[in-house]
Amino acid sequence: GGGALGGRRAWRLLTGWLHKLLTQLHGRNGRRRFVDPRAFLAEAAVGSPAAFVDAVHDEDSRARRLLRLAPMLVPFEVRVRCLRALIAADREGARGGGQDDPREEVQAFLGAGRVAQVRRDRLLEDGYAQLNNIGSELKRTVRIQFVNEHGLPEAGVDGGGLFKDFLDNLAREAFDPRLGLFLTTADHRLYPNPASRLVAANHLQLFTFLGRMLGKALYEGFLVELPFAAFFLSKLRGRANELNDLSSLDPELYRNLLFLKRYQGDVADLELYFVAQDEVLGERRTVDLVPGGRDVPVTRDSVVRYIHFMANHRLNTQLREQSAALLRGFQDLVHPQWMQMFDEEELQMLISGSQEVLDLRDLQENTTYSGGYAADHPVIVWLWETLAAFDSAQQAAFLRFVTSCSRAPLLGFRHLEPGFCVHRSGVGGSNAPDDSADHTRLPTAATCMNLLKLPPYQSRQALQEKLLYAINSGSGFDLS
């Protein structure tokens, strides 16, 4: 009775304390590494990765409890597989059943379902108008119909690639600091502009829409190269920011506040007050951190309170509306618990992919060929030899050229959607001889389909020169 109840209460307190301690240690190691991150892993507790992933669907399973209380003990790749499994189950729920509906597969093949018509020069405007208020339908297949400058639909049916292309180009437009919805830190990391209301009257609705699109990209496994500030990634994880997060937003202010915290002299001599100086469009504005703060001096007794109020203002108060709006949209597709399985650096990888050196063997093993090419075709052999000779920057540029993202999928190219394909171009058909090709043409890419269109050049040197020119000039984009 009472003893068992007391034992359960003590166990909950102990696990809560251990969870907090592990989280703090892991977070501290992320900011300033003192041990190899692999030191946190407890692979014996995970056991078989496949069985662990299978168990994640049971809320009361040991796997689910471990992911809730101490996700850092589970290898990152296993957690990514758990995330994909949870998303797959959620998608089935959005379809209304436990099994894939064959009718939906037929509709997908025929291009049926939700279709959004967008103009290429109005991606944000049209995307917002047609996709922002469709609710849980975003978890299902959404197709894009691009409209040309004459107002006519472009030819072709979206088999999934055009939506990827839409997301990629929308991200480039909407998150561009020149638009004004986002700013960048000193190290070029993105975060919401506190003065976004001056950019658009419906700025908060736009942030919600962008949160939904970011969530849709993660939900579908599409990579978008958006480097976010660490403190903002914390918000996507549902974690409140505190003083140490300030280093990723304003390193100079962070250093000044730490100096103030350790200051041995009389703080009153510094003549500080409970105010912050906000800058909007080049003009400084004084903001009280407490009621009447411009008349409240900072003293030895209140300096710690001042430091935390200042950090809270910069990290939370200034961005509260924008961050809440974006998070609301993001969580329409991505469950908050899913994001708590990852730290900020890992979440950035979920959004933008791995920073590891390109694994050419993995890419080669997961490549298909069309138009008359095969794995043993001389041009294909030259292609892989050329890519192997590239340095890491050139390989990243090649990957961006063909997929719109310079980083590889986290679980390998087997999970690239659509799969990578090399197509013989510049000839009259798949049966046309190689020597009938126009060898002056550059390689082009259909990034929406992860498709490289490669003419059958007559030498490896010609292939290398043409490919380098194409990927460095960015002139090879081709939707067809």
Side-chain angles (χ1 to χ4, degrees):
L5 183 62
R8 286 196 296 270
R9 184 180 297 116
W11 175 248
R12 284 196 300 270
L13 288 172
L14 177 61
T15 54
W17 180 81
L18 287 172
H19 165 69
K20 184 176 181 180
L21 178 61
L22 269 173
T23 301
Q24 288 177 341
L25 285 172
H26 190 255
R28 177 68 180 273
N29 195 55
R31 290 191 300 272
R32 182 172 295 180
R33 184 167 297 177
F34 54 87
V35 296
D36 187 317
R38 290 174 295 184
F40 286 91
L41 297 180
E43 297 190 43
V46 174
S48 163
F52 190 90
V53 174
D54 287 342
V56 81
H57 300 291
D58 181 357
E59 284 281 354
D60 298 322
S61 68
R62 183 166 163 273
R64 217 34 197 272
R65 289 197 301 273
L66 191 58
L67 289 172
R68 264 196 312 268
L69 293 173
M72 71 289 293
L73 303 182
V74 182
F76 175 60
E77 285 195 4
V78 176
R79 282 178 282 137
V80 175
R81 289 171 60 186
C82 289
L83 173 65
R84 300 317 308 174
L86 290 168
I87 289 175
D90 188 75
R91 182 183 282 112
E92 288 181 0
R95 286 174 173 169
Q99 300 293 326
D100 291 349
D101 187 343
R103 292 171 299 178
E104 183 162 311
E105 299 301 321
V106 173
Q107 288 178 341
F109 179 77
L110 296 175
R114 169 71 65 167
V115 178
Q117 288 194 334
V118 296
R119 294 166 288 180
R120 290 191 177 276
D121 59 348
R122 295 287 189 276
L123 292 177
L124 179 57
E125 178 185 337
D126 292 352
Y128 171 77
Q130 297 197 42
L131 297 175
N132 191 47
N133 293 310
I134 64 174
S136 61
E137 237 186 300
L138 265 180
K139 293 185 176 182
R140 306 178 69 168
T141 300
V142 178
R143 305 194 178 281
I144 295 296
Q145 174 73 70
F146 283 115
V147 177
N148 64 24
E149 64 272 18
H150 305 295
L152 300 174
E154 295 181 0
V157 174
D158 183 7
L162 292 184
F163 191 83
K164 170 182 174 290
D165 184 51
F166 163 75
L167 277 179
D168 180 65
N169 286 285
L170 174 69
R172 294 184 195 180
E173 175 184 331
F175 290 86
D176 188 332
R178 290 174 294 185
L179 181 64
L181 291 175
F182 286 81
L183 299 177
T184 57
T185 61
D187 59 346
H188 310 293
R189 300 280 171 171
L190 292 162
Y191 67 97
N193 181 0
S196 58
R197 67 186 183 282
L198 302 177
V199 175
N202 65 336
H203 66 121
L204 296 181
Q205 290 87 345
L206 289 175
F207 276 114
T208 300
F209 170 64
L210 294 178
R212 290 184 176 122
M213 293 300 100
L214 185 61
K216 176 67 170 175
L218 196 150
Y219 198 85
E220 299 295 341
F222 294 151
L223 300 179
V224 285
E225 291 199 71
L226 294 172
F228 289 113
F231 83 92
F232 180 67
L233 291 167
S234 294
K235 294 180 184 296
L236 289 181
R237 294 181 58 231
R239 185 177 72 81
N241 292 134
E242 43 89 20
L243 176 61
N244 287 319
D245 295 305
L246 188 60
S247 62
S248 69
L249 172 61
D250 190 335
E252 183 179 1
L253 177 59
Y254 177 66
R255 287 192 297 268
N256 290 341
L257 292 179
L258 289 186
F259 166 80
L260 188 60
K261 188 176 181 181
R262 303 177 183 128
Y263 186 62
Q264 297 298 313
D266 189 348
V267 175
D269 293 341
L270 300 177
E271 297 185 354
L272 297 173
Y273 291 85
F274 274 80
V275 294
Q277 299 294 327
D278 290 352
E279 188 170 313
V280 179
L281 297 179
E283 293 186 6
R284 285 190 169 274
R285 184 168 59 96
T286 301
V287 179
D288 289 332
L289 297 177
V290 296
R294 64 197 68 196
D295 298 318
V296 180
V298 179
T299 65
R300 184 188 301 273
D301 292 335
S302 64
V303 66
V304 172
R305 185 166 174 252
Y306 167 79
I307 289 169
H308 287 282
F309 273 42
M310 179 66 79
N312 182 65
H313 174 74
R314 292 286 281 119
L315 290 165
N316 299 314
T317 306
Q318 275 191 309
L319 304 166
R320 179 170 289 122
E321 290 185 334
Q322 292 86 349
S323 298
L326 190 143
L327 187 61
R328 185 162 55 249
F330 185 72
Q331 291 181 347
D332 279 350
L333 286 99
V334 180
H335 196 286
Q337 280 191 355
W338 298 348
M339 291 299 92
Q340 289 164 13
M341 295 191 297
F342 306 96
D343 64 25
E344 287 75 12
E345 183 179 352
E346 292 168 341
L347 178 51
Q348 182 66 70
M349 286 196 288
L350 289 176
I351 293 169
S352 299
S354 171
Q355 290 184 295
E356 295 182 2
V357 175
L358 177 63
D359 186 342
L360 270 181
R361 175 175 292 183
D362 180 43
L363 177 59
Q364 188 172 358
E365 289 175 351
N366 291 283
T367 296
T368 58
Y369 305 98
S370 64
Y373 278 148
D376 59 354
H377 190 288
V379 173
I380 296 302
V381 174
W382 294 337
L383 172 65
W384 294 115
E385 290 175 349
T386 297
L387 292 175
F390 280 0
D391 61 31
S392 58
Q394 290 170 327
Q395 290 178 348
F398 169 77
L399 198 56
R400 182 185 290 112
F401 177 75
V402 293
T403 70
S404 77
C405 183
S406 65
R407 300 180 181 182
L410 291 177
L411 298 179
F413 285 99
R414 183 167 59 90
H415 295 270
L416 182 68
E417 289 290 343
F420 179 54
C421 180
V422 183
H423 177 77
R424 192 175 68 130
S425 64
V427 293
S430 59
N431 295 320
D434 289 349
D435 57 13
S436 68
D438 179 1
H439 298 112
T440 64
R441 293 182 59 175
L442 290 173
T444 58
T447 56
C448 62
M449 296 300 295
N450 299 324
L451 178 70
L452 173 65
K453 299 181 179 182
L454 185 68
Y457 298 113
Q458 295 176 306
S459 70
R460 177 183 161 183
Q461 181 179 353
L463 185 151
Q464 178 174 318
E465 290 174 355
K466 296 286 189 182
L467 186 59
L468 276 174
Y469 185 87
I471 65 177
N472 289 328
S473 67
S475 62
F477 177 77
D478 178 14
L479 183 67
S480 62

